[in-house]
Every structure is written in structure tokens, then in C-alpha cells.
Amino acid sequence: MGDPGGGTVEEFFAGHPEAAAVYEAVRALVAACGPCEVRVGRSQVALRRRRGFAYLWLPGRWLAHPASEVVLSIALPRELASPRFKQVAHPAPRVWMHHLEVHHPADLDGEVAGWLEEAYHSAG
């Protein structure tokens, strides 16, 4: 469940119970779509099929004053226009990365579930 130096999901989220709860909520939404692989790296937890489609990371590891404890980044083949995203980046010709600050598992509503489902199916 981890890569060299990445550890486990539990180690990644140690000391961040709200972020761990968000991860569990994301996993539940994705499980409704089907199976996926979880890869734990030094900087993020990635959910993958043939390609990564959702990533959770802790902005406090990189920013002095983060606005949330955890960010969910969703990879899609198109740009979504929503004021909910903190930032949208276009890192590759066929990938738009949508960064969503998550403050509580309840933030992962039906709209987010739909985005995750689209990302899951787009990841092959």
C-alpha cells in the first residue's frame, strides 16, 4: 500500500484526524465506482486505475498558513468551472487538475462524488 519512503495511509495522515476522515470518505465514494489502487508517496496519497485520478495531500507540509488541513486534487480530461475549486491547473494536454480544499468529510457531497466518478472512469 505504500512506496519506498511513502509509508502507509495511516502514517501519512498521522496527527491529522480530520484529513484521515476525509480520506476515508473519498475512499467510500470511489468504492462505489469500483476498485482502484492506493499509492502512498512522500507528498500525497494517490488513487489510481491505469492513471491517477484523485490525490489527497496536506498543504500544511508546504504552506505556512494553509486554508484547510487537506486538499483533494481531481484529475479530469476537461476543465470544470466551479467556485469550489481553489485552483485549476492544466499540467498536461489531456489533464486538468482541480484542487479542492476540504474542511470536513461533509464537504464531499453529491457534486464531488460526480466529479470523482468522472475522474475514475476517465483514468481507465
Side-chain angles (χ1 to χ4, degrees):
M1 186 153 64
D3 69 11
T8 66
V9 169
E10 293 77 17
E11 291 168 339
F12 186 88
F13 290 115
H16 301 276
E18 195 70 29
V22 167
Y23 165 78
E24 292 300 333
V26 168
R27 286 290 290 141
L29 291 173
V30 170
C33 300
C36 74
E37 177 186 357
V38 176
R39 288 192 190 169
V40 181
R42 288 183 185 94
S43 62
Q44 65 190 6
V45 174
L47 305 180
R48 300 180 51 86
R49 293 187 71 208
R50 281 188 330 125
R51 295 180 306 279
F53 63 90
Y55 306 84
L56 291 128
W57 53 282
L58 303 172
R61 291 186 178 168
W62 314 104
L63 305 173
H65 304 287
S68 68
E69 186 174 336
V70 63
V71 171
L72 170 62
S73 298
I74 303 171
L76 289 165
R78 65 186 179 99
E79 181 179 15
L80 295 175
S82 173
R84 295 180 71 177
F85 294 119
K86 174 74 172 189
Q87 181 183 32
V88 178
H90 192 38
R94 295 184 194 157
V95 178
W96 290 87
M97 193 64 71
H98 302 77
H99 303 290
L100 178 67
E101 293 176 333
V102 183
H103 301 278
H104 189 273
D107 294 343
L108 304 171
D109 58 14
E111 184 175 42
V112 176
W115 296 335
L116 285 169
E117 182 178 5
E118 181 180 348
Y120 177 88
H121 292 293
S122 296

